[in-house]
Every structure is written in structure tokens, then in C-alpha cells.
Amino acid sequence: MDFMLSDADRVLISQVREFGKNYFNNESVAQWRRDMGLPDEVVKAFVDLDFNGFGVIHRRNHVHYDMLAQVLVLEELSRVSGATLPFQNDFLQLQILEAFASPSQTDPIRLEYQNTGRLAFAFAVSEPNSGSDTTGMKTSVRSVDGRLFMNGEKMFVNNGEYAPALLVAAIDEDAPAENGHPALSMWMVPRTAKGVEAVPESKIGQEMLPFAHIRFDNVELDESWRLQGPAKGFPQLFSFFEYGRVFACATALGEAQAAMDDAVEWARERTAFGTPVSNFQQVQEMLTDMEVKLTNMRHMVYKAAWEFDHGVHERLTVALMKRNVPRAATEVASDAMQILGGRGYTTHERISSIWQDCRGFQIAEGTDQIMVYIAAPLVMRKYAEAEM
């Protein structure tokens, strides 16, 4: 298995790096964190990138996405900006839409994204009382006197207060359970529909991904809002959670690398007791261990993407990656903050924000503990098969 990047991969990274350097500096990123999003100019410039011909966003009649290319884009943008940007969610949500919606439902949204860089919907799946137990969701749709109604609530809906529509996962109470799972239905509900209430949620970190708590109170649905794509049930939805974990880890990796870049620069230029900080043995040990973590993180993320691209995806690969990468990224950012000392704990340096962002990835897309729940049985099965 060869993880050496090709010349084409390196051209892609160079292109994205140039874009990042043109738009992302410490002042602009700090402002956009306060604004809770990127300006139109930036997102439009992003979707206008050529991506060196890779299937990063659906264009030129691509029939599939190149996940390693998407990972390289997210890693490099996070490294240049030192921030969690909306693009990782755009990648995931577009692919969910394309699987669960018909082409006639997908094409206008995808075209608008390609023309503006703005995704016309927010994905609503997490709930207050189910969390990582997605099949335990309570938001439901049922028929009453020939009319369809949705009731329930969703939380952590990225851009849910501002997106024109909400892609809502709900239990279909009119349909029978399948393969031990309740019937899942997906709906594109206008955010302005009567009975929909969106309330912002305050959080630390990842400020460019504004969260909202959404309530659905007897929202009458139009049947045309139901998504009619080939994907139907929970197993298909779970497969896309795997994509989301790879994208989250690619972003965490990029931000951890940004923290490392800043720590090395500080250690090289900062002097104490008449010598550069980089000459102190304890700092050298910290930087060495940080580089080990970054190397392992990168290997795990690239391996997961490679498996997807080559049709040999294994859930254990993704679970182990998601278990390790966000935690290691948080540790790298924490050590970088320590190397900068008091300066690292201020908002004058981006490392403090990077630490908050990375810490959030230990929860998002499946917590550290859920990854153990997924991975442990797969580990047991792997070693049982090796003994046969």
C-alpha cells in the first residue's frame, strides 16, 4: 500500500495552498470566526478552483468523488487557515443528498453550490436524547387524516438558522421496520415552513460552523419534499457517517499541523536565558513527540481515504482513525500552546482556537468512546479470523 503522493496530488496541494494564502490570514480568520462564516467572495473562489481535475466537488460529469483528493484539500486549507472551515460539511452533505435524493431534487442544489459556493440546506440528524444512537431518534412523520405531519427536534444543526432548507432524517411511522431498524425517511423541509423553529446554540470552538437547535411542531409536509433517491435506510446513512469521520479527521490533522508550524517557528525564533527555546531538551522532546503523532495521524487518515478510493473500505480502519486522530490533534495543539507559554493561551495566537477546534472533533461525528464500541468487536473478529 503506497501512500506516497503523486505529482498530480502535489499540484492539487499547491493550488489549494495558493488559494489559502490569498484569502486566509490571522486577521481575516479571526474576523470570520466572529462572523460565524466565510464571505461570499471566499466560498465562490473555492468552488471555482480547478482541483487539478480531481473529483473534489461534482463537476465535469464526475461519476465519483476522489476521497484522498478531498482529504488533501481539507488538510491543506485547515493548515493554512488554522481553522475549521465549512467545506468539510459541504463535501459530506452533498454526497448524502446525492444518495438519498433523486437527480431532479439534487441537480438544482448542486448547480447552485457550484455557482455560488453556498449549500442551500442544512443536515439535521442529531437529537437531544439519542446522540450517537441515531436509530433512537424520535423525530417522526406520520399521516393524520390524509395529511403528513412532522414532530420532533434536532440539535447541532450546522447553519440550521440560516440555510433556506433543512434536510431532515425522521422515522416514518407509516412504514414498517426493515431489518431490525425503524423505517427512515429523508425530507427537504423549507426552514420557513410553519411550525419550524430554529434557535442558535452557543459553543466553544469551530465558530465558522454555527449550530442551531431545530424544533418541528406539527409541521405539515408536502409529499414532494420527501427525498426519492436510491438510498433508503439507516445502513446507508451509517455508511455516510464513515465519510464524515474521514473529513473531520483530515481537518483535525490540518489544524494540528498548523499548531506544529507555529510551535516550531516560535521555538526557533524565541530566546530565553540567552539561547533559542529550541535548544531546550524538554522542548525538543515535545516537538519530537508532536511530529510522531502527526506522522501517525496522517498515515491513518490517508489509509482510510485510500481504502475508500480503492473499494476496500473497512470500518475498523475508520474507527481506529477517529479514535486516535482528534485526540492526538488536541494533544499536539495543547503542546504547541505550552511551547508558546503565556502567549499561546491568548487570543493573539491562533493556537488557542486550534486547540478548541480539535477538542470538538473528539465529540463530533462519533465520540472517542463510541469508536471503542465500534472498534472492539471488529478487533476481536480480526484476531479470531487470524487464528483460523
Side-chain angles (χ1 to χ4, degrees):
M1 191 178 298
D2 183 7
F3 295 133
M4 293 295 291
L5 297 181
S6 68
D7 290 341
D9 293 330
R10 296 183 188 281
V11 171
L12 170 66
I13 294 171
S14 177
Q15 183 188 76
V16 172
R17 182 180 300 130
E18 182 179 359
F19 162 80
K21 289 181 177 179
N22 285 339
Y23 287 100
F24 298 102
N25 56 55
N26 289 344
E27 292 74 21
S28 63
V29 170
Q31 181 61 54
W32 297 336
R33 283 182 181 273
R34 292 190 291 271
D35 294 342
M36 296 189 297
L38 297 174
D40 292 341
E41 175 191 8
V42 177
V43 296
K44 179 63 167 68
F46 175 74
V47 296
D48 284 344
L49 288 174
D50 178 73
F51 297 115
N52 201 33
F54 285 103
V56 174
I57 62 175
H58 234 134
R59 211 163 43 207
R60 300 187 206 82
N61 298 317
H62 283 127
V63 295
H64 63 86
Y65 290 95
D66 299 310
M67 182 172 280
L68 179 58
Q70 291 178 312
V71 160
L72 295 175
V73 168
L74 294 174
E75 178 189 356
E76 189 60 31
L77 283 180
S78 300
R79 179 179 186 175
V80 174
S81 66
T84 302
L85 305 175
F87 305 123
Q88 66 172 59
N89 284 347
D90 293 347
F91 290 175
L92 174 62
Q93 293 176 20
L94 279 169
Q95 292 181 68
I96 291 174
L97 175 71
E98 290 165 8
F100 282 89
S102 66
S104 64
Q105 294 172 314
T106 299
D107 289 347
I109 294 175
R110 191 166 62 194
L111 183 61
E112 181 177 356
Y113 180 72
Q114 293 170 4
N115 290 336
T116 67
R118 298 293 186 191
L119 201 57
F121 68 91
F123 183 44
V125 61
S126 295
E127 297 192 0
N129 296 316
S130 59
S132 297
D133 179 17
T134 308
T135 57
M137 71 172 62
K138 301 301 182 185
T139 299
S140 62
V141 174
R142 64 190 298 258
S143 298
V144 179
D145 297 329
R147 299 156 66 192
L148 285 167
F149 292 93
M150 175 180 288
N151 284 280
E153 56 185 317
K154 300 290 185 179
M155 64 191 306
F156 309 141
V157 181
N158 176 48
N159 212 37
E161 191 181 6
Y162 307 106
L166 302 166
L167 198 169
V168 186
I171 302 300
D172 187 346
E173 294 190 356
D174 296 336
E178 296 182 359
N179 299 320
H181 296 295
L184 177 70
S185 59
M186 304 284 273
W187 301 81
M188 190 65 74
V189 180
R191 184 174 50 81
T192 56
K194 184 178 179 181
V196 176
E197 179 186 12
V199 179
E201 292 199 70
S202 298
K203 59 180 172 63
I204 63 169
Q206 303 188 10
E207 293 95 332
M208 289 190 222
L209 307 182
F211 283 0
H213 192 116
I214 313 292
R215 296 183 179 88
F216 303 93
D217 184 10
N218 282 328
V219 178
E220 185 170 0
L221 304 175
D222 190 303
E223 182 62 37
S224 66
W225 298 350
R226 187 194 297 267
L227 300 192
Q228 300 284 358
K232 298 295 182 183
F234 277 103
Q236 290 87 352
L237 182 59
F238 293 157
S239 69
F240 285 101
F241 292 168
E242 303 271 282
Y243 291 25
R245 287 162 187 159
V246 176
F247 296 154
C249 287
T251 302
L253 168 61
E255 291 199 69
Q257 185 65 65
M260 179 68 169
D261 294 343
D262 291 358
V264 169
E265 181 180 4
W266 180 273
R268 185 171 51 237
E269 298 180 356
R270 176 74 168 180
T271 60
F273 304 102
T275 186
V277 169
S278 59
N279 288 338
F280 296 156
Q281 184 176 356
Q282 287 182 317
V283 171
Q284 293 174 347
E285 183 177 2
M286 292 173 71
L287 291 172
T288 299
D289 289 344
M290 291 160 69
E291 186 67 13
V292 168
K293 290 173 183 176
L294 284 164
T295 300
N296 289 335
M297 291 162 61
R298 187 166 286 110
H299 173 84
M300 298 185 84
V301 174
Y302 287 11
K303 181 176 187 288
W306 185 93
E307 287 184 2
F308 272 110
D309 283 342
H310 288 80
V312 290
H313 160 62
E314 293 187 10
R315 292 189 71 207
L316 179 58
T317 300
V318 174
L320 294 177
M321 173 201 67
K322 182 60 174 64
R323 167 70 173 176
N324 178 70
V325 170
R327 181 172 55 180
T330 303
E331 292 169 355
V332 169
S334 180
D335 285 346
M337 193 185 308
Q338 192 75 14
I339 290 172
L340 267 68
R343 180 77 180 184
Y345 197 62
T346 70
T347 56
H348 296 294
E349 302 293 336
R350 62 180 185 171
I351 288 178
S352 58
S353 297
I354 289 173
W355 181 88
Q356 289 180 314
D357 284 7
C358 291
R359 184 62 182 84
F361 284 123
Q362 291 186 248
I363 302 170
E365 305 294 345
T367 65
D368 291 356
Q369 291 70 34
I370 287 295
M371 293 306 106
V372 174
Y373 178 79
I374 294 172
L378 298 174
V379 170
M380 297 297 292
R381 184 186 309 166
K382 172 184 174 181
Y383 283 89
E385 292 173 351
E387 294 174 356
M388 295 176 62

